[in-house]
Amino acid sequence: MEVLARPFGEFQTNCYIVDKKIIIDPGIGAFEWIRENVKDPVAIINTHGHFDHIWDDKKVKEYFNIPIYIHKNDAFFLENDQFGFNPPKVKPDFLLNEGNYKIGDFYILIRHFPGHTPGSITVETSKFLFSGDFIFDGSIGRVDFPYSNPEDMKKSIKKFLKIPYDKKMYPGHGFATTIKKAQKFLPMWLEYL
């Protein structure tokens, strides 16, 4: 399973391409890079609805004629910008819940980890976990934005700490890490929230 990664925009938001088929978080200016690196993609998956993760959703969706997946609690972000940056508005095609999904030939586990946004999710394949802005290498997503919730983030961290296995983890910003490495520092954040 191949993962291509590149940061985009002022906030250096990571866009990922999994096996040239699944596009995760096409942010500001990601479209051209995506077009050069995919072959018959099957879906866009947004880890959450913040503008820097969904900016090129509309371009990618329309160019490749593929659906957008996002958690049901974050779908409103795609049509109503909350930060005044005015990303292109687009309607999502599939509203996710926590659970297992088959998208194209891929089996994907979606876990719901609210806190940074109401519909923050992780996207898990057989080998990798994409954590969006829930967890970074050594940090967690901010909880002082509109629709963020520190109490939800605490619950989400406790839930994440129960994952019993390790995988490489790709966050929404910064460098890759692992589940086990994240689990070592996360308890510290429970004290600060």
Side-chain angles (χ1 to χ4, degrees), residues 15-30:
C15 176
Y16 296 104
I17 300 172
V18 183
D19 275 357
K20 301 194 176 189
K21 295 290 184 183
I22 290 182
I23 299 151
I24 297 175
D25 290 351
I28 299 166

Side-chain angles (χ1 to χ4, degrees), residues 133-156:
D133 285 5
F134 168 42
I135 298 174
F136 309 118
D137 182 17
S139 186
I140 61 171
R142 288 175 59 172
V143 292
D144 59 342
F145 289 138
Y147 301 100
S148 296
N149 188 309
E151 290 306 311
D152 284 348
M153 181 63 90
K154 281 184 187 178
K155 292 174 188 172
S156 291

Side-chain angles (χ1 to χ4, degrees), residues 2 4 10 12 21 26 35 41 44 51 64 67 71 78 92 94 103 109 133 138 144 162 167 171 174 185 189 193:
E2 178 189 36
L4 300 178
E10 179 183 351
Q12 292 291 282
K21 295 290 184 183
R35 190 171 66 174
I44 299 160
F51 67 93
F64 292 107
H71 191 273
L78 298 188
F94 292 100
I103 299 175
L109 172 62
D133 285 5
D144 59 342
K162 293 178 182 176
K167 283 184 181 180
F185 75 78
W189 285 98
L193 289 169

